[in-house]
Amino acid sequence: MKVVMSSLSRGKLLEFYRKMLLMRRFDEKAGELIADGEPIYETHPVMGQEAVPVGVCAHLERGDYIVPNYRNHGHCIAMGMNVKGMMAELYGKSGGVCKGKGGPMHMADMSKGVLPGIGIVGGTIPPAVGVALAAKMKQTDRVSVCFFGDGATSIGAFHEGLNLASLWSLPVIFVCENNQYASRDPLELTSPVKDVATRASAYAIRKRTAGGNDVSEVYKAAGESIRDARKGKGPTLLEFKTFLTAPHSLNPVMYENVPKAELAKWKKKDPVQLLRGRLVKANLLTRQADEQLIAEVANQIEDAYTFARKSPYPSPKEVLEDLYA
Amino acid sequence: MREISYNDAINEALSEEMSRDDAVFLMGEGVHSPAALVDRFGTERVRTTPISENGFGGTAVGAAVVGLRPVVEFRNAAFLLSGFDQIVSNAAKLRYMSGGQLTIPVVFMLSFSSGLRRGAQHSFNPLSWFANCPGLKIVVPSTAYDAKGLLKTAIRDNNPVIYMRQGMVATTRGEVPRKDYTIPFGSAEIRREGVDVTILATLNSVSMSLAVAEKLAKQGISAEVVDPRSLVPLDKKKILSSVEKTGRLVVVDESYETAGLASALAAIVAEEGFQYLKCPIKRVSTLDVPFPYSPPLEDYMLPTPEKITKAVRETFNTKSR
């Protein structure tokens, strides 16, 4: 682990830490607001999985695109989207990143390379293949990255997408955030293979399984896959083992059945705490600096909340706009 | 003017558009045949896909979002049912749910095979389903001339377009200019002028209705045949002005009777043109059963010249208002 740590600069690690804190605080705030009865109707938290979007998206450059699924707030923040616009989108306000049309699941910012979050499991995969096809046909070294959970590896879109990407050797990275539950259903009840990366062998593409809670490990694994894609070596199925330490969805009617012992085990491996511990141990972060960073992030989220509250709702007639180009 | 087949008109449009714009490319099942397009543009731009409608349909969506202009050949519309998610959830909705941040210039080419004895699972006509999916445009070319002109417009449009062919129509020939021309969407064509009754018909029902109109003319009924050419957007104005002139409407369309296209078109006229109507609107649709294989059974379920004639006659038998 020391080796990996040393390959990342202090600045980069602190940037990762800041983004992970921002994701965490965004989720916490959304949860608090929903509990307070604010008019936010759903959000899919990324708590416990923050290291994956941070470590993967850190390799992306202008002209690269990601296709996230409905659990997309981490990816949006990782790509540098504005949390004010994101918070306003939770409310369906006109200041939202999608002017209130998308909502929590479908946030998008094409100027940051973020396609709308896709609400259908596995639905991210074929469009990401298409983005990669365009990159290849235009003879660029751009890549596309799609994100999905372990549940998506059983749906047809996953298999059709991997098959095409391999057949045409496209620069796409399939990132499976294996949090071991498809909504409420444990992986062993839904998949015959434990390591979903195994499925790559049917399509003759590279596979890699790595821990998803250590951002340095994620960064390293993703870096290799993305470099391969840029060099024209085709796609990789990249699996990160992680765990969602919040409910599937912060929707008041959802109930959860994740065993408490399993949850407790994974909470000990919390990615934010893990990185904080490492930074402190390596003398890269003082307690004082940490407190200051946490306060800054909390303020940023409070500002976003204030912005969202003040932002007006769209005028009802706007419902008919933005359908056709 | 030279006459060519409907399918040749399509290939000519593809070839011209691919020459005009490097972003246009063709992908789908069986697109390597006939070889003319592959010979001219290569396999990079004429991509044969595996049988995976959801995979390549969604791939086209992604490619379109970042600036290419894919034309996707699905062949039989029934096969698209395996790819419905990418058309409905992504192609039709991504732009809207992003608040208008992106465009999806993609053409989905489909055909259906009613009347060709293909049985229950290969004859299916999903037009009314697509018409119920805001975000898609839908064109229904019924002649070789329209096949070329509408395809060019579809390729140049910045929205997902369902380009629907019908097996019966695709075997026809017609006059097609060699030159570059487009047909605007939302522009219905009066196929035959008349003053007594409007027959609003799509695809194969157009030629069938024209034949009926010829016979009716000999019996003293002057029928106007209107072909909408695109269903989304729809040329309401031309349809309503035809009904204003004739005062009678028969809608002929091969989607199912229940909640089908004929119902939707009839409802528009009932709501916005009721004052022009001398009698109730009649619909001629497909009976609500799966497609049978046996010829007499299939013929019985589809619109026929006899059914159209009967419907027209009924608009005269009904007591005028």
Side-chain angles (χ1 to χ4, degrees), chain A residues 65 97-99 101-102 106 108-110 117-118 123 126-127 130 133-134 137-138 160 164 168 319 321-325, chain B residues 44 47 50 52 54-55 58-59 62-63 65-66 68 85-86 89-90 94-99 101 103 135-136 159 232:
Chain A
Y65 287 92
V97 282
C98 302
K99 301 187 279 186
K101 293 225 170 74
H106 306 313
D109 187 342
M110 291 301 286
I118 307 276
L133 174 62
M137 287 179 73
K138 291 179 190 170
E160 296 185 16
L164 264 177
W168 292 343
V319 72
E321 294 172 8
D322 298 322
L323 183 58
Y324 293 103
Chain B
E44 269 287 295
R47 291 184 168 263
S52 53
N54 207 39
T59 294
V65 165
V66 293
L68 296 184
D85 174 48
Q86 289 293 332
S89 292
N90 286 350
L94 289 190
R95 173 181 169 79
Y96 186 79
M97 68 200 210
S98 75
Q101 291 183 56
T103 56
L136 303 176
N159 299 283
V232 180

Side-chain angles (χ1 to χ4, degrees), chain B residues 200 249 251 261-271 277 281-283:
Chain B
L200 179 57
L249 177 64
V251 190
L261 275 176
S263 307
L265 294 168
I268 289 168
V269 175
E271 197 164 70
L277 290 168
I281 299 166
K282 299 300 290 183
R283 290 176 300 152

Side-chain angles (χ1 to χ4, degrees), chain B residues 59-75:
Chain B
T59 294
V61 172
V65 165
V66 293
L68 296 184
R69 307 185 83 86
V71 179
V72 189
E73 175 59 84
F74 280 100
R75 311 223 288 189

Side-chain angles (χ1 to χ4, degrees), chain B residues 77-88:
Chain B
F79 305 160
L80 177 65
L81 297 186
S82 301
F84 218 50
D85 174 48
Q86 289 293 332
I87 310 298
V88 175

Side-chain angles (χ1 to χ4, degrees), chain B residues 149-164:
Chain B
L150 286 171
L151 182 52
K152 282 172 159 268
T153 308
I155 290 170
R156 297 177 196 187
D157 197 283
N158 282 328
N159 299 283
V161 179
I162 301 284
Y163 183 96
M164 184 61 83

Side-chain angles (χ1 to χ4, degrees), chain A:
Chain A
M1 189 46 59
K2 258 213 158 89
V3 179
V4 175
M5 284 286 281
S6 63
S7 70
L8 279 162
S9 69
R10 174 175 184 264
K12 195 141 234 166
L13 284 167
L14 286 176
E15 183 197 318
F16 289 176
Y17 182 53
R18 187 191 184 94
K19 280 192 168 167
M20 286 163 71
L21 286 175
L22 195 58
M23 293 173 188
R24 181 63 57 93
R25 187 61 204 138
F26 186 90
D27 272 353
E28 286 170 353
K29 185 72 183 178
E32 290 159 19
L33 294 172
I34 290 173
D36 286 349
E38 286 284 286
I40 296 172
Y41 301 97
E42 181 147 71
T43 176
H44 293 81
V46 67
M47 278 183 206
Q49 301 184 188
E50 291 93 339
V52 177
V54 169
V56 173
C57 296
H59 295 283
L60 301 181
E61 300 161 7
R62 196 163 178 81
D64 295 332
Y65 287 92
I66 67 164
V67 190
N69 64 2
Y70 46 86
R71 195 177 307 288
N72 58 347
H73 303 158
H75 310 88
C76 294
I77 289 172
M79 293 296 278
M81 276 171 61
N82 187 330
V83 288
K84 286 184 177 173
M86 290 174 61
M87 193 64 84
E89 193 64 30
L90 287 185
Y91 278 87
K93 297 289 190 73
S94 64
V97 282
C98 302
K99 301 187 279 186
K101 293 225 170 74
M105 283 195 270
H106 306 313
M107 292 183 189
D109 187 342
M110 291 301 286
S111 73
K112 301 281 186 192
V114 182
L115 266 73
I118 307 276
I120 307 298
V121 169
T124 60
I125 293 164
V129 172
V131 171
L133 174 62
K136 186 173 185 186
M137 287 179 73
K138 291 179 190 170
Q139 298 179 321
T140 69
D141 65 349
R142 298 299 86 190
V143 301
S144 77
V145 180
C146 64
F147 294 90
F148 48 89
D150 42 292
T153 62
S154 290
I155 203 167
F158 169 84
H159 298 275
E160 296 185 16
L162 264 63
N163 189 53
L164 264 177
S166 175
L167 185 68
W168 292 343
S169 191
L170 300 179
V172 50
I173 297 90
F174 301 104
V175 178
C176 177
E177 298 168 312
N178 181 355
N179 65 18
Q180 309 176 52
Y181 282 83
S183 187
R184 305 176 191 87
D185 302 325
L187 187 62
E188 68 260 27
L189 296 185
T190 64
S191 169
V193 292
K194 196 172 166 220
D195 293 331
V196 302
T198 311
R199 297 184 186 272
S201 49
Y203 305 105
I205 68 176
R206 269 186 305 284
K207 64 180 176 187
R208 194 173 271 126
T209 299
N213 281 31
D214 178 343
V215 73
S216 306
E217 194 178 344
V218 173
Y219 182 80
K220 183 170 181 284
E224 287 166 16
S225 302
I226 291 171
R227 274 191 296 279
D228 283 345
R230 286 202 203 287
K231 283 185 203 152
K233 292 185 182 174
T236 300
L237 174 57
L238 189 50
E239 174 190 16
F240 292 111
K241 304 272 190 174
T242 184
F243 204 82
L244 182 65
T245 53
H248 167 78
S249 151
L250 294 183
N251 172 326
V253 299
M254 289 293 286
Y255 78 96
E256 300 300 323
N257 65 346
V258 174
K260 285 201 168 56
E262 194 181 11
L263 184 61
K265 186 188 91 181
W266 279 94
K267 276 195 171 172
K268 281 186 195 153
K269 293 194 259 184
D270 181 81
V272 182
Q273 297 301 340
L274 201 65
L275 180 56
R276 172 186 289 138
R278 293 244 170 87
L279 287 167
V280 170
K281 206 171 167 189
N283 289 322
L284 298 174
L285 182 72
T286 63
R287 181 179 292 269
Q288 198 187 4
D290 188 28
E291 281 170 4
Q292 195 187 330
L293 205 50
I294 290 170
E296 278 172 21
V297 163
N299 282 338
Q300 199 179 343
I301 296 295
E302 285 311 300
D303 287 349
Y305 163 67
T306 308
F307 172 84
R309 285 301 304 266
K310 281 188 185 159
S311 173
Y313 276 113
S315 126
K317 282 184 182 165
E318 285 176 42
V319 72
L320 295 174
E321 294 172 8
D322 298 322
L323 183 58
Y324 293 103

